[in-house]
């Protein structure tokens, strides 16, 4: 396995893990909110809707990152970096997700773009969990829920 194959495989593995972990973490407030909803009128409607928007955003970014992970896995299955990235570009153009560019970006630039999406996902997840914690404290009036 060459250096670029290992880099692409590692990026695919990390993106997959991150998307699944963040996606599951975003589902926890969505699962716990209806359960806590019966407890002293859990949350104002606006707080619930804002939390729901951020949870859906995290899940949408998780799907996008899983797709990116599959693209990196496809690229790493080829012998050369040029052939692997050309296969990814060909797939994206056939799916009409990207127009063919004159000079395709390299592997490092693509990985950097995926890392930016990971940070956006983590930021949205942090906002979602903070809103959930605020809503829980609001519902309990600062008292323990147990």
């Amino acid at each position: 396995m060459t250096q670029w194959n290992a880099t692409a495989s590692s990026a695919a593995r990390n993106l997959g893990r991150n998307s699944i972990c963040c996606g599951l973490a975003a589902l926890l407030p969505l699962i716990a909110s209806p359960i806590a909803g019966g407890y002293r009128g859990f949350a104002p409607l606006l707080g619930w809707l804002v939390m729901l928007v951020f949870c859906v955003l995290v899940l949408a970014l998780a799907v996008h990152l899983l797709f990116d992970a599959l693209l990196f896995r496809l690229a790493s299955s080829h012998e050369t970096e040029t052939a692997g990235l050309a296969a990814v570009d060909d797939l994206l153009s056939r799916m009409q997700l990207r127009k063919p560019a004159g000079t395709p970006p390299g592997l490092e630039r693509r990985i950097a773009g995926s890392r930016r999406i990971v940070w956006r996902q983590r930021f949205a997840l942090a906002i979602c969990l903070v809103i959930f914690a605020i809503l829980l404290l609001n519902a309990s009036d600062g008292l323990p829920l147990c």
Side-chain angles (χ1 to χ4, degrees):
M1 183 177 275
T2 61
Q3 175 65 29
W4 84 271
N5 287 90
T7 303
S9 294
S10 174
R13 188 173 40 258
N14 291 338
L15 289 174
R17 284 183 193 155
N18 186 75
S19 66
I20 289 172
C21 290
C22 286
L24 290 176
L27 287 177
L28 290 177
L30 291 178
I31 293 169
S33 294
I35 296 168
Y39 183 77
R40 294 191 213 167
F42 172 60
L45 181 61
L46 181 62
W48 167 254
L49 291 176
V50 171
M51 186 184 71
L52 180 67
V53 166
F54 278 102
C55 286
V56 169
L57 177 64
V58 170
L59 293 174
L61 290 173
V63 170
H64 186 222
L65 288 173
L66 281 175
F67 183 70
D68 281 356
L70 291 174
L71 291 176
F72 282 121
R73 196 164 304 255
L74 171 69
S76 69
S77 68
H78 288 78
E79 291 296 322
T80 64
E81 181 178 354
T82 307
L85 297 180
V88 168
D89 288 336
D90 181 53
L91 177 68
L92 290 174
S93 66
R94 281 189 284 142
M95 293 177 71
Q96 297 179 351
L97 294 175
R98 180 185 291 170
K99 294 182 173 111
T103 57
L107 181 65
E108 292 302 320
R109 186 167 168 210
R110 292 174 196 236
I111 291 173
S114 293
R115 284 185 183 146
R116 283 192 298 273
I117 296 169
V118 166
W119 282 108
R120 288 177 188 150
Q121 182 190 32
R122 289 177 181 171
F123 182 70
L125 178 62
I127 290 173
C128 173
L129 294 177
V130 166
I131 291 171
F132 182 67
I134 289 170
L135 292 175
L136 277 178
L137 286 174
N138 184 32
S140 67
D141 294 329
L143 301 173
L145 290 175
C146 299

